[in-house]
Amino acid sequence: FFYGDNPSVAHNQEKALEYYRKAAGKGNARAAHNLALILQKGGGSSGDLAADVAESAELLGQAASAGKVGEV
C-alpha cells in the first residue's frame, strides 16, 4: 500500500509488487487482491501480459478463498 497508493510516499511500482507478493504469499487477502489489480492493468514486472492476467486470476481466487472478498 505505501509504495503503490500512498500520496505521502514516492510511487515505486517495483517495491509495491515486491511487498504485495510477500504479503500475498503469507495469505494476506488484501495484498493478493491489490496485486491482482496491478497485474490486470499490465503492471507486472514480467512484461508478459498473458502471464500477469493468469497470475491475477489465481490471486483473486486466493483472496476469495480466504473469505475476505467483502473486506478488500
Side-chain angles (χ1 to χ4, degrees), residues 1-6 9-17 19-20:
F1 170 78
F2 289 107
Y3 289 102
D5 297 323
N6 188 338
V9 177
H11 182 80
N12 185 327
Q13 184 79 5
E14 291 303 314
K15 279 287 187 194
L17 287 169
Y19 287 118
Y20 280 140

Side-chain angles (χ1 to χ4, degrees), residues 13-61:
Q13 184 79 5
E14 291 303 314
K15 279 287 187 194
L17 287 169
E18 175 186 346
Y19 287 118
Y20 280 140
R21 283 189 197 286
K22 284 182 181 181
K26 293 183 178 194
N28 184 298
R30 183 178 301 267
H33 178 261
N34 289 344
L35 178 56
L37 295 179
I38 292 170
L39 294 173
Q40 283 179 355
K41 295 176 185 174
S45 57
S46 73
D48 182 354
L49 182 57
D52 288 348
V53 170
E55 183 180 358
S56 173
E58 185 178 320
L59 288 162
L60 289 174

